[in-house]
Amino acid sequence: MRVFMTGASGWIGSPSVRSLVAAGHEVVGLARSDDAAAAVEAAGGVALRGDLSDLTLLRARAADSDGVVHMAFRHDIAFTGDFAGAAASDLAAIEAFGDALAGSGNPLVIASGTLGLKPGSVATENDQPDRGGHPRTASAYAALELANRDVRSVVIRFAPTVHGEGDHGFIATLVGIARESGVSGYLGDGSNRWPAVHRSDAAELVHRAVESAPAGSVLHATAEDGVTTKAIAEAIGSQLGVPVESIPEDRADHFSFLAGFFGMDAPASSDISRELLGWNPTGPTLLEDIDAGRYTS
């Protein structure tokens, strides 16, 4: 297959390119910069310069491909305060891909997330977010509805922590906070759960979705339903040699912008995805990655 991928130079995109290429597929990756183009090519893909704002380019490349993987998001404007604009751009890209792929039966795989889907309970692939909730929810619904236009649309909800060597996400931020404050903390009793998946396993699920996920599928890229935040804090504290402490709710600003996320109880199962596609995560667990020093060395 010839697969067109946005976000192909990213944290999940790069190993996804490698996995697809290793299986004999050709991947053309959208790249906004020379560095991104080099990353796409290093992963075995073919770089195409452009960005998500060029809908004409997106339609043309999708029409010329056997499938599309949409992993990119306009963080360039989201991080400057225009999250609504970034979400609108994401929706426009999905609609452009849908127009190009309609009637083909070819796959359109898009990225979403599990966080906040069903707080306090184990979320499954059958749980659906409130249409009027998060601004990006519209993108997921739009993608799934393309199944009615003979597009093999698939939404992959990724765990909030896709971990591995080189990760600069939530866990790396917690490590930085622990280093600076001298305390590895967790909120309350630390029993709230945080799902995770190794990036190699996430990439394998993308690969399997492209090849065989049915139209209208929702998949969960969660190798671990939920690791307690206390266990995460203890692993970080052990690596850094700092005390592990419960942080009271009235001092949640200890965690900076992460406070609202790290305090959530947001477990998510992937049982349906595993059964549907034969996906069997084999990468290190989150605590194994922390214990191996991949966030602290």
Side-chain angles (χ1 to χ4, degrees):
M1 295 173 62
R2 181 190 296 114
V3 179
F4 177 52
M5 184 184 296
T6 71
S9 64
W11 177 243
I12 305 172
S14 291
S16 297
V17 172
R18 288 192 290 270
S19 184
L20 286 163
V21 170
H25 303 295
E26 175 187 350
V27 179
V28 176
L30 190 68
R32 291 194 304 124
S33 67
D34 290 342
D35 286 347
V40 171
E41 291 169 357
V46 177
L48 173 70
R49 289 300 298 269
D51 60 49
L52 288 181
S53 65
D54 190 343
L55 298 181
T56 300
L57 175 65
L58 300 186
R59 287 191 192 92
R61 294 310 305 180
D64 190 42
S65 301
D66 301 310
V68 174
V69 177
H70 176 46
M71 306 283 284
F73 188 71
R74 293 197 61 190
H75 296 292
D76 58 328
I77 62 174
F79 286 159
T80 61
D82 188 13
F83 195 92
S89 178
D90 189 54
L91 177 59
I94 289 170
E95 290 172 340
F97 292 139
D99 289 342
L101 295 174
S104 69
N106 289 337
L108 169 61
V109 178
I110 77 157
S112 185
T114 65
L115 194 61
L117 185 62
K118 194 177 180 182
S121 301
V122 179
T124 76
E125 295 88 337
N126 290 331
D127 291 309
Q128 295 299 330
D130 181 357
R131 280 182 179 266
H134 195 279
R136 293 188 71 180
T137 300
S139 292
Y141 276 108
L144 293 176
E145 287 163 3
L146 287 170
N148 297 322
R149 299 176 63 191
D150 195 21
V151 177
R152 189 158 57 81
S153 55
V154 183
V155 172
I156 302 182
R157 297 174 182 155
F158 292 94
T161 288
V162 181
H163 57 92
E165 188 170 4
D167 175 21
H168 296 292
F170 285 132
I171 303 302
T173 301
L174 290 171
V175 169
I177 292 170
R179 276 197 170 113
E180 183 176 347
S181 67
V183 172
S184 182
Y186 55 90
L187 280 168
D189 65 4
S191 64
N192 57 303
R193 295 156 291 179
W194 194 252
V197 63
H198 192 269
R199 68 189 298 224
S200 62
D201 292 320
E204 175 63 18
L205 185 59
V206 172
H207 169 190
R208 289 174 182 254
V210 168
E211 290 186 339
S212 58
S217 298
V218 173
L219 306 175
H220 278 188
T222 56
E224 298 177 271
D225 289 7
V227 185
T228 67
T229 55
K230 183 177 181 180
I232 293 171
E234 289 173 339
I236 292 172
S238 176
Q239 283 295 305
L240 295 180
V242 300
V244 179
E245 296 181 6
S246 170
I247 305 298
E249 296 289 343
D250 61 1
R251 287 180 49 215
D253 59 354
H254 171 90
F255 297 100
S256 185
F257 75 94
L258 276 184
F261 300 110
F262 198 50
M264 295 180 68
D265 184 34
S269 166
S270 60
D271 290 348
I272 293 173
S273 302
R274 297 179 194 225
E275 178 69 22
L276 182 66
L277 297 181
W279 179 59
N280 181 32
T282 58
T285 67
L286 175 57
L287 296 184
E288 286 171 347
D289 260 355
I290 296 173
D291 290 343
R294 294 193 174 95
Y295 288 90
T296 53
S297 59

